[in-house]
């Protein structure tokens, strides 16, 4: 390598490439005949980036085999960045500062726009940090890196990697969530509460006991916000209550707010309302955060952000403008359980394994999927199962049901279809229903209401009755929260 590298940088870049699978490429393709750095030098819109790479002694690296992905800030991005950090030129950075900055823009694999995922990417930068992408508006020209840099030209391919141009420089995260809180006195009450609840060490750590990178999201409250709620200390709160409260402010994983909810289109035929909401799980198992992207108060219907999507070395931090407490008044999201998209069945019929999955067939099979041409949801697949004796059953697991009461309805195929009792555990939900009742081809039939004492994945069972053995076509089950 025709350059002098510090020992730490040499180790870092060796680590980048060691685990990457080398991919074949053809020098017959004109746009892939050139190494990345040679072509960056020829691009006048990236001259400041080239200067930064040279000062960081990374230029030679980007002309090695790779593969690499380089998120390249353009000249205007660097001019803005220099002004914001109070520097006149690239030369004003120390070698360590510019090296840390530029390594953060390089991934040790070829990651094209089609490979982007929402939130932190699956490939880390050279020092083990992550770039997070918002791809809710598209990946080709509208992806947003770390909530600030728009990728306006992507997938510029070279023999040893791919370049994505962007309009801002990315600051590498330098603190874990816990370290950030400790360094900012305005969080002192929250920090004391987290310490007493035994959670501060988790927020301070970069890796868990297995050496895996920790990824968490904290909804943080400043002293000002807590004082407004009448809280000056958590010392007097019972420890169990405090632990639940603090865990309620932490979500597993990390992603930006734009990934928390999307449009659920209305489907009147099955009772689904249009919405932009979602139910977010926290480290407190029986609580949840309600998030509505379309609301002026997106968190729990009453709370807004003072600052959001602040990227840390071990996750993301949001500042909220009001104390966040879980109660039964926190809204829950309507749940749409599509049978053909739910591969978690158990089928208690003679001759078929309870763990067998339904086959795709238009005509044959007692446990199968098929496309229903006349369905209210065009092209939808439906699930057919047929019982051969009393108490034969179909089991399907509905994911992420939150504690509370729900009205349960189902969309199914009308006709001479049999009697079923819906059950949760040993509890019956509503009366026995005949799935041939009614006059419409598909219908939204209410099965009953049920109040769940805990949150989590719920195992529903449809049991065939002796009065009329079931041969039923299932489409969608909808769980609508009841206050």
């Amino acid at each position: 390598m025709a350059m002098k590298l510090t020992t730490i940088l040499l180790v870092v870049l060796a680590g980048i490439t060691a685990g990457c699978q080398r991919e074949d490429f053809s020098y017959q393709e004109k746009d892939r005949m050139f190494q990345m750095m040679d072509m960056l030098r020829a691009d006048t819109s990236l001259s400041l980036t080239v200067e930064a790479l040279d000062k960081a002694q990374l230029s030679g690296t980007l002309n090695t085999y790779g593969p690499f992905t380089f998120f390249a800030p353009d000249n205007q991005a660097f001019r803005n960045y220099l002004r914001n950090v109070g520097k006149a030129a690239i030369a004003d950075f120390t070698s360590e500062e510019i090296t840390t900055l530029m390594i953060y823009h390089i991934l040790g694999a070829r990651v094209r726009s089609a490979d982007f995922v929402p939130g932190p990417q699956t490939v880390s930068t050279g020092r083990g940090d992550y770039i997070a992408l918002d791809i809710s508006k598209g990946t080709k020209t509208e992806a947003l890196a770390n909530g600030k840099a728009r990728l306006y030209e992507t997938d510029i391919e070279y023999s040893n990697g791919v370049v994505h141009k962007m309009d801002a420089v990315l600051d590498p995260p330098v603190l874990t969530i816990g370290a950030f809180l400790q360094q900012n006195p305005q969080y002192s009450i929250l920090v004391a509460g987290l310490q007493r609840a035994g959670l501060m060490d988790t927020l301070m750590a970069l890796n868990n006991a297995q050496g895996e990178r920790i990824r968490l999201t904290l909804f943080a409250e400043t002293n000002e916000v807590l004082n407004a709620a009448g809280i000056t200390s958590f010392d007097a709160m019972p420890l169990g209550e405090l632990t639940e409260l603090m865990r309620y402010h932490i979500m597993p994983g990390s992603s930006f707010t734009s990934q928390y909810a999307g449009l659920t289109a209305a489907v009147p035929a099955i009772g689904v309302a249009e919405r932009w909401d979602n139910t977010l799980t926290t480290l407190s198992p029986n609580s949840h955060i309600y998030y509505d992207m379309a609301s002026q108060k997106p968190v729990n219907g009453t709370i807004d952000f003072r600052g959001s999507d602040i990227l840390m070395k071990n996750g993301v931090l949001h500042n909220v403008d009001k104390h966040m407490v879980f109660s039964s008044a926190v809204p829950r999201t309507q749940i749409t359980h599509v049978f053909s998209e739910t591969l978690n069945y158990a089928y208690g019929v003679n001759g078929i394994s309870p763990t067998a999955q339904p086959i795709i067939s238009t005509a044959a099979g007692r446990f199968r999927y098929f496309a229903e041409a006349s369905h209210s949801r065009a092209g939808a697949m439906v699930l057919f199962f047929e019982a051969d004796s009393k108490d034969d059953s179909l089991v399907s697991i509905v994911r992420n049901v939150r504690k509370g009461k729900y009205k349960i309805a189902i969309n199914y195929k009308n006709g001479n279809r049999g009697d079923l009792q819906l059950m949760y555990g040993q509890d019956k939900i509503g009366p026995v229903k005949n799935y041939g009742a009614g006059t419409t081809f598909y219908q939204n039939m209410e099965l009953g209401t049920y109040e769940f004492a805990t949150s989590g994945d719920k195992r529903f069972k449809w049991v065939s009755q002796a009065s009329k053995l079931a041969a039923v076509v299932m489409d969608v089950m909808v769980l609508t929260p009841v206050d």
Side-chain angles (χ1 to χ4, degrees), residues 29 33 42 49 171 206 303 328 341 433:
E29 298 177 53
M33 290 172 60
T49 283
D171 283 305
L206 192 59
I303 299 170
S328 58
E341 297 173 0
K433 291 285 187 176

Side-chain angles (χ1 to χ4, degrees), residues 134 159 165 239 325:
D134 174 0
S159 62
K165 286 186 180 182
L239 183 58
V325 181

Side-chain angles (χ1 to χ4, degrees), residues 283-398:
L283 296 188
S284 180
N286 286 322
S287 63
H288 63 271
I289 296 171
Y290 176 78
Y291 186 81
D292 185 355
M293 185 182 291
S295 173
Q296 292 185 339
K297 299 287 186 179
V299 179
N300 292 350
T302 58
I303 299 170
D304 199 0
F305 296 110
R306 285 186 167 177
S308 62
D309 301 328
I310 305 168
L311 190 65
M312 301 289 169
K313 287 186 77 68
N314 61 347
V316 171
L317 181 142
H318 307 305
N319 278 317
V320 291
D321 69 352
K322 186 178 179 182
H323 182 41
M324 196 169 74
V325 181
F326 179 71
S327 73
S328 58
V330 174
R332 287 167 288 141
T333 308
Q334 187 181 52
I335 299 170
T336 304
H337 180 74
V338 181
F339 286 91
S340 62
E341 297 173 0
T342 310
L343 302 179
N344 55 28
Y345 300 104
Y347 182 39
V349 173
N350 292 334
I352 298 177
S353 166
T355 59
Q357 294 300 315
I359 62 172
I360 297 177
S361 173
T362 57
R366 302 176 68 185
F367 192 32
R368 70 182 192 271
Y369 297 133
F370 65 91
E372 183 63 74
S374 58
H375 198 292
S376 57
R377 295 184 299 115
M381 298 286 284
V382 291
L383 174 70
F384 173 83
F385 78 101
E386 180 181 5
D388 60 4
S389 63
K390 183 181 183 298
D391 295 330
D392 285 345
S393 63
L394 170 73
V395 172
S396 189
I397 299 170
V398 178

Side-chain angles (χ1 to χ4, degrees), residues 177-191:
I177 297 171
F180 174 82
L181 295 177
Q182 284 194 332
Q183 290 190 17
N184 288 275
Q186 66 265 34
Y187 297 107
S188 61
I189 300 173
L190 178 65
V191 167

